[in-house]
């Protein structure tokens, strides 16, 4: 692992709290709401359709 990535990951770990909103970019992969995450990973339109 490259040092800059580790440094940034450490900052996120040290400064984040449960419930902080997070936007992940750089990937096309979507989380499945049934994989242990919550409906917060869904758009409102997707949630309403479910």
């Amino acid at each position: 692992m490259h040092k800059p990535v580790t440094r940034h990951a450490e900052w996120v770990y040290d400064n984040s709290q449960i419930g902080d909103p997070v936007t992940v970019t750089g990937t096309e992969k979507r989380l499945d709401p049934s994989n242990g995450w919550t409906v917060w990973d869904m758009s409102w339109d997707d949630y309403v359709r479910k």
Side-chain angles (χ1 to χ4, degrees):
M1 185 178 289
H2 299 291
K3 192 126 179 115
V5 173
T6 303
R7 182 173 45 86
H8 294 301
E10 183 178 4
W11 184 93
V12 170
Y13 183 85
D14 289 342
N15 291 281
S16 298
Q17 296 182 29
I18 293 173
D20 284 351
V22 175
T23 301
V24 177
T25 61
T27 182
E28 297 297 318
K29 188 173 181 179
R30 303 285 301 178
L31 290 176
D32 178 8
S34 65
N35 76 353
W37 295 90
T38 68
V39 294
W40 291 107
D41 297 313
M42 302 172 72
S43 70
W44 175 251
D45 291 335
D46 289 342
Y47 177 77
V48 171
R49 277 193 293 263
K50 207 162 180 42

